Amino acid sequence: MSTLRTMTDVDAVVLVGHGAVPADCPRDLVTRLKALEGRRRATGTPVTNEEMALDTRIRAWPRTAGSDPYGAGLEALASSLRPLLGTARLVVAYNEFCAPTLEEAVAALAADGAHTVVVVPSMLTPGGVHSEIEIPETIARLRAAHPTLALRYAWPFDLDAVAALLADHIRR
């Protein structure tokens, strides 16, 4: 396995996944959280204490590969990606339902002395709210909170390269 040649100035990479609700988490918690999020977005009001508490509770829910196969899959992808990154650290973060958040992951890397962090989503195609809106908004807040940290967003992906990856996989 070869390492990426352009990784010499990168201290860390954050692989951001969507996140999933664990199978054994009560659905009423998620339903209530989504209702509060929807109301907040529709009215432009700040996050309520109830919404924050529900979000924290769901993100902290105990997980196994059986109860959260998405999380297990993202961790498996991270394990395959890690040796390709040279000396750069790789951490996983999630948009919703799982911990750590992108904010938490970047804050930990900054506290650990990282200078250059590349954020890369696991979402491959354009058109998604997470990759096109939420992650860039979070990165903007993180840049303000950590002005000495160089944050790069490795997105959007080259769709020809994504198509080649998929075609290669199909041929196998």
Side-chain angles (χ1 to χ4, degrees):
M1 259 185 262
S2 63
T3 59
L4 298 174
R5 289 186 179 88
T6 60
M7 294 297 298
T8 56
D9 66 333
V10 175
D11 298 310
V13 173
V14 181
L15 176 63
V16 183
H18 179 278
V21 177
D24 57 350
C25 181
R27 294 292 156 205
D28 62 316
L29 295 179
V30 179
T31 301
R32 180 67 182 150
L33 173 64
K34 287 303 184 182
L36 291 168
E37 284 178 355
R39 185 179 317 140
R40 173 178 47 84
R41 288 187 176 132
T43 61
T45 55
V47 176
T48 65
N49 289 339
E50 182 184 8
E51 183 182 341
M52 282 190 292
L54 283 169
D55 184 67
T56 300
R57 185 172 176 194
I58 294 167
R59 285 180 186 273
W61 199 268
R63 294 161 193 270
T64 65
S67 70
D68 184 7
Y70 178 86
L74 192 64
E75 290 292 340
L77 175 60
S79 292
S80 294
L81 181 57
R82 202 168 270 117
L84 304 175
L85 299 179
T87 60
R89 288 183 52 199
L90 175 68
V91 297
V92 171
Y94 297 91
N95 280 92
E96 57 185 351
F97 306 126
C98 305
T101 64
L102 177 55
E103 293 93 333
E104 291 165 340
V106 170
L109 289 167
D112 200 32
H115 299 287
T116 303
V117 176
V118 176
V119 176
V120 60
S122 62
M123 304 86 176
L124 298 180
T125 59
V129 172
H130 289 318
S131 55
E132 287 193 0
I133 298 169
E134 293 172 356
I135 295 172
E137 288 175 351
T138 300
I139 290 172
R141 288 191 304 273
L142 287 165
R143 284 181 177 136
H146 305 279
T148 62
L149 183 65
L151 275 168
R152 297 195 312 229
Y153 187 31
W155 196 86
F157 295 121
D158 176 337
L159 292 181
D160 290 334
V162 172
L165 167 78
L166 295 174
D168 182 56
H169 190 74
I170 291 165
R171 282 191 287 274
R172 289 189 218 170

